Amino acid sequence: MSTILMEKDLETGVWPEWFDQSGAIQEYESAPRPTRKDEAWRFANISALDLSQFQAAPAPSNEGRLITASSGLEKFSAKMVFANNTLIHEEAPQLPNEVLFLPLEVAAREHAALFRKYFMAQPVELGSHKFAALHKGKVTSGAFLHVPANTEVALPVEIFHWVEGAHSSVFPHTLIICGENSRVTVVDRFQSADGLKAFACGVNDLHLAPGARLTYVAVQDWSRDSLAFHLNSTIVDAQATSTALTANFGGGFLRGESLSRLVGEGSRSEMYSINPVEGTREIDQRTLQDHLAPNATSDLLYLNALDDASRTIFSGLIKVQPGAHGTDAYQKVRNLILSDEADPNSMPGLEILNDEVRCSHGATNGPISNEELFYLQARGIPRETGCRLIVNGFFNALLQKIADPALRDYLEGLLAKRLVLGGTPQK
Amino acid sequence: MSLHIENLHANIGDREILRGLNLEIPKGEVHAIMGKNGSGKSTLAKVMAGHPDYEVTKGTVTLDGLALLDLEEPDERARAGLFVAFQYPMEVPGVSIANFIRAARQAALPEDAELDAVEYYQDLYVKMDALKIPRNFTSRAVNEGFSGGEKKRCEILQLAMLAPKYAVLDETDSGLDIDALKIVSDGVNALRSPDRGFLVITHYQRLLDYIVPDVVHVMVNGQIVLSGDKELALKLEAEGYDWVEKETLATA
């Protein structure tokens, strides 16, 4: 299971000495492999986790093409483009001077105190600590964004992570640190350059100081047979609001873990996810809404549309710690079932150690409404197009939570395009 | 050229709702069907549109010579030129009015033709303005959170945008205040043409003051039992339906 680890570049030299990659690799090696007996891996297709076929990614073959393809929003404040773990392009046309937007390894050298305080600072506790260790052991670059207190970044920051080549391995990393009362929007895109099977093991960590406002959107569009881990933690301090939306368009086996820790009074974390799945693809998502502070709100809504023999697993927990009175927590997964063979698994959960709380959680499964479909068909829209419109609408309703109209339009466009392409690998 | 319904029988489950209905709407005319709740008026509209809950057991519907019921899917019937404005239009979450009508317009084009988006929006705005529908409705999800009047106006907007050969309006007046009724009726009247037939289903005479029909039919127990001119609607309004039922029973 460990061929990619035995290859070159264990010590890449990009990191300061204190950044202990060999220790991380040892941690990876010694951590037990997940089994289905682990609660955190219940229902998961463990056999998909075989890493032996993957190898170190080669240097990107055509940087120019990928830079051109990394055109996202019409207006943005700054952009970084990574291909096969290497930064190939950066620009910052509209970024306030005081904002740090740096390659991760540069931040480690030049802003060591900040970096060490925030880099993978939260224990990975939703099942993939082994793969988090692998990430730390192999990461060579990534995006580091620090928005100082009282700074507003008006236009979104864009990050593109490309993977290229059969069986390549990438370790994308995004670390966002929002100072007090700062405001920023980040769009993180994960793309396959060639539609070939690849391995991605990514981490994105979001830190919000009191009063900060962060909108973070991740659009994952790896090839349809790739193996991917995306591990997230979000720490929200007093009166800060994080809106995080993840769209999983690709991946043959995707493991997503998302932890929101509400550490300050009146903090708010919104956790949204859009998952169209078809073929034999599997999306396995584990979440934790950890309420430590009083009067905090968390709102989780995950939408899955399952076609063919696809599978989804959702396991979520709302945890209300003893001091967290006045908690308002919601957790909901909705599965739109498009095929008899589809296999949705939902395990919503609550653990409340406090009386004065409002919590609700639930999961629903249902097919496309015949009445809705009839209505569309009665206007001349063919059945298949009507179904696609309804699926599009099912997800689109969640995109309306994005306040910025330009960003919302952009995401609506990506979604519509994805649903037209369906499960076919993109180029 | 007509929309011609002959001896139509239809069930929902085991219950027969339409029991040998005959009706012909020549192109260019407006016909009204009046009848009490439960007489089968809305069923007729849904059966013609191809709602999957209803089963046609006998009879034919012919649209300008085309056997409409041979078309299995509702979208085929719509593209053949039939439009039904529903009494209770469905909400379709997340699908905007603009995208919905655009998909319908696209579906009406030949397979390889691409809709002209600029022309489409110009046309849409003109028709929205005429129906006093605010422009921001284009981005709202179809019927979601709409008032009764907004839903009905939106149905007429679709009718105007799709310009069918025959339009069936099912209780288009229900839930409308008098101002909205005028707007909707003006919208319908603007679409009256020698190339289009209308069937207006209602159980109040009021609507027919605004959309004046050429012929009024009375429906009882899944059949048309009486036909007449506009005066018949006024008589029904004044005297109710009991006398019709008695006469029908007497002649049966």
Side-chain angles (χ1 to χ4, degrees), chain A residues 334 369-386 388-398 400 408 412 416, chain B residues 46 49-53 73-76 78-79 82-86 89-95 99-100 103-104 107 142-143 155 158 162:
Chain A
R334 292 179 59 201
S369 151
N370 278 333
E371 290 292 336
E372 286 176 33
L373 184 58
F374 167 69
Y375 186 60
L376 298 184
Q377 285 192 272
R379 296 298 174 250
I381 299 169
R383 175 178 288 269
E384 203 180 312
T385 312
R388 200 168 64 223
L389 268 177
I390 290 170
V391 173
N392 193 321
F394 172 71
F395 292 129
N396 219 24
L398 182 47
Q400 305 315 306
R408 195 172 58 231
E412 285 179 3
Chain B
K46 288 188 188 167
H51 193 290
D53 287 355
E73 294 284 337
D75 56 287
E76 298 176 288
R79 291 198 303 275
L82 180 73
F83 181 94
V84 176
F86 293 101
M90 279 305 296
E91 297 181 4
V92 190
V95 178
N99 283 343
F100 170 50
V142 176
N143 293 319
E155 292 291 284
Q158 293 164 42
L162 296 176

Side-chain angles (χ1 to χ4, degrees), chain A residues 315-381:
Chain A
S315 172
L317 182 65
I318 295 173
K319 202 168 174 179
V320 182
Q321 306 284 3
H325 58 79
T327 288
D328 220 342
Y330 301 87
Q331 178 199 81
K332 177 131 197 185
V333 56
R334 292 179 59 201
N335 297 311
L336 183 62
I337 314 294
L338 306 173
S339 148
D340 292 341
E341 294 169 273
D343 178 23
N345 301 274
S346 308
M347 296 171 281
L350 287 177
E351 185 183 322
I352 301 178
L353 308 171
N354 188 302
D355 299 337
E356 304 160 56
V357 298
R358 279 209 322 201
C359 290
S360 75
H361 72 311
T364 58
N365 291 340
I368 282 186
S369 151
N370 278 333
E371 290 292 336
E372 286 176 33
L373 184 58
F374 167 69
Y375 186 60
L376 298 184
Q377 285 192 272
R379 296 298 174 250
I381 299 169

Side-chain angles (χ1 to χ4, degrees), chain B residues 58-72:
Chain B
K58 214 192 254 180
T60 58
V61 177
T62 312
L63 188 153
D64 292 350
L66 177 81
L68 195 70
L69 303 184
D70 286 355
L71 305 174
E72 287 277 321

